[in-house]
């Protein structure tokens, strides 16, 4: 149903683990985004990629490392996370100023 | 001042009521405007785009006032299924177009 696919849907990781979130868009869009949504908080923009070049890093800690190998794929590499990093991580894509389409998100729990 | 401001609510209304949500944005150079709907523990989904000329889709009407930097959403004849969080989204250009989300307004429609 969705043109933006995220995996995994759920992830539990320890503070010393390294994991990666994957996002793929099948819409031919030129921009991709990572957002974080903590409980009862608004969506926070983390990273923006335009034509696979990073154009915005919204003061995100270095324990989050994005990678965009091409216009259709976006990764978020995670290492040495903290419990407060537990949240819903949403990937989105858009074509220029048109509406953004979201993946279903990865619900991350850091233990 | 936050880039996009919304009253978080909740708005608690009976079925059949008319309810209006407001949103203000701070960046006068913003170019695209949207309302999204987010159900509990789900990703945001586009409800409608917002234009200066107004936009109507069934029971939903959206309006943009660029001079006042103000966006509105009107829902007529509320249904139980309208219960959700409604997110105001403003897209600004900063090298690429960046969708910025308000914190959302919670709507609860009761029988």
């Amino acid at each position: 149903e969705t043109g933006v696919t995220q995996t995994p849907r759920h992830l539990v990781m320890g503070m010393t683990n390294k994991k990666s979130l994957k996002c793929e868009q099948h819409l031919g869009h030129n921009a991709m985004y990572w957002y974080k949504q903590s409980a009862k908080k608004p969506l926070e923009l983390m990273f923006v990629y335009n034509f696979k070049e990073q154009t915005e890093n919204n003061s995100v800690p270095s324990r989050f490392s994005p990678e965009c190998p091409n216009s259709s794929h976006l990764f978020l590499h995670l290492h040495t996370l903290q419990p407060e990093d537990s949240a819903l991580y949403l990937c989105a894509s858009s074509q220029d100023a048109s509406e953004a389409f979201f993946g279903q998100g990865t619900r991350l729990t850091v233990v | 001042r936050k880039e996009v401001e919304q009253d978080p609510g909740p708005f608690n209304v009976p079925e059949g009521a008319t309810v209006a949500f407001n949103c203000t944005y701070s960046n006068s150079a913003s170019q695209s405007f949207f309302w999204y709907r987010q159900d509990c523990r789900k990703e945001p989904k586009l409800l409608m785009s917002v234009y200066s000329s107004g936009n109507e889709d069934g029971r939903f009407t959206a309006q943009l006032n660029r001079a006042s930097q103000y966006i509105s959403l009107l829902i007529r004849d509320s249904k139980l299924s309208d219960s959700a969080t409604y997110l105001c989204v403003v897209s600004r250009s900063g090298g690429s177009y960046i969708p910025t989300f308000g914190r959302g307004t919670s709507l609860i429609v009761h029988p």
Side-chain angles (χ1 to χ4, degrees):
Chain A
E1 170 184 319
T2 177
V4 181
T5 305
Q6 287 187 243
T7 55
R9 294 288 307 280
H10 301 273
L11 178 63
V12 179
M13 60 185 288
M15 289 189 282
T16 57
N17 290 161
K18 290 184 180 181
K19 295 287 184 183
S20 295
L21 309 185
K22 179 182 176 183
C23 177
E24 182 175 1
Q25 58 102 355
H26 315 276
L27 302 168
H29 288 164
N30 59 5
M32 295 186 77
Y33 314 87
W34 279 117
Y35 286 88
K36 173 184 177 182
Q37 190 172 37
S38 304
K40 299 188 187 296
K41 288 189 178 180
L43 276 138
E44 300 170 47
L45 180 69
M46 299 176 74
F47 301 104
V48 179
Y49 277 81
N50 192 258
F51 289 108
K52 76 176 184 175
E53 298 295 324
Q54 185 176 314
T55 57
E56 184 128 339
N57 175 337
N58 213 22
S59 302
V60 180
S62 60
R63 58 185 183 270
F64 296 91
S65 174
E67 178 191 0
C68 189
N70 55 60
S71 304
S72 301
H73 293 85
L74 187 63
F75 295 89
L76 187 63
H77 304 300
L78 316 171
H79 65 98
T80 59
L81 295 192
Q82 305 298 311
E84 59 264 29
D85 296 323
S86 299
L88 179 66
Y89 288 85
L90 289 158
C91 173
S93 71
S94 72
Q95 181 66 30
D96 297 324
S98 64
E99 66 268 25
F101 290 82
F102 283 83
Q104 292 178 298
T106 295
R107 191 159 297 279
L108 173 68
T109 303
V110 181
V111 297
Chain B
R1 183 183 172 188
K2 293 179 184 173
E3 277 197 70
V4 181
E5 294 211 55
Q6 292 182 253
D7 180 348
F11 284 59
N12 203 320
V13 303
E15 272 187 291
T18 295
V19 61
F21 302 140
N22 303 318
C23 169
T24 56
Y25 61 95
S26 60
N27 189 337
S28 60
S30 298
Q31 297 176 296
S32 302
F33 309 88
F34 309 95
W35 282 102
Y36 278 70
R37 169 188 171 135
Q38 186 173 25
D39 293 288
C40 187
R41 301 178 72 82
K42 296 283 186 69
E43 76 276 20
K45 293 187 178 178
L46 179 71
L47 180 66
M48 58 199 308
S49 302
V50 189
Y51 309 112
S52 297
S53 55
N55 189 19
E56 185 172 321
D57 183 3
R59 298 181 293 108
F60 299 84
T61 301
Q63 202 81 39
L64 166 65
N65 184 322
R66 282 189 183 270
S68 302
Q69 296 182 199
Y70 171 93
I71 303 161
S72 65
L73 177 68
L74 185 74
I75 305 176
R76 292 180 297 277
D77 189 23
S78 299
K79 311 290 185 192
L80 295 176
S81 58
D82 292 334
S83 298
T85 297
Y86 291 84
L87 301 163
C88 175
V89 183
V90 174
S91 191
R92 60 177 169 87
S93 179
S96 54
Y97 292 97
I98 301 169
T100 303
F101 285 73
R103 66 178 301 120
T105 299
S106 176
L107 173 65
I108 302 167
V109 182
H110 59 80

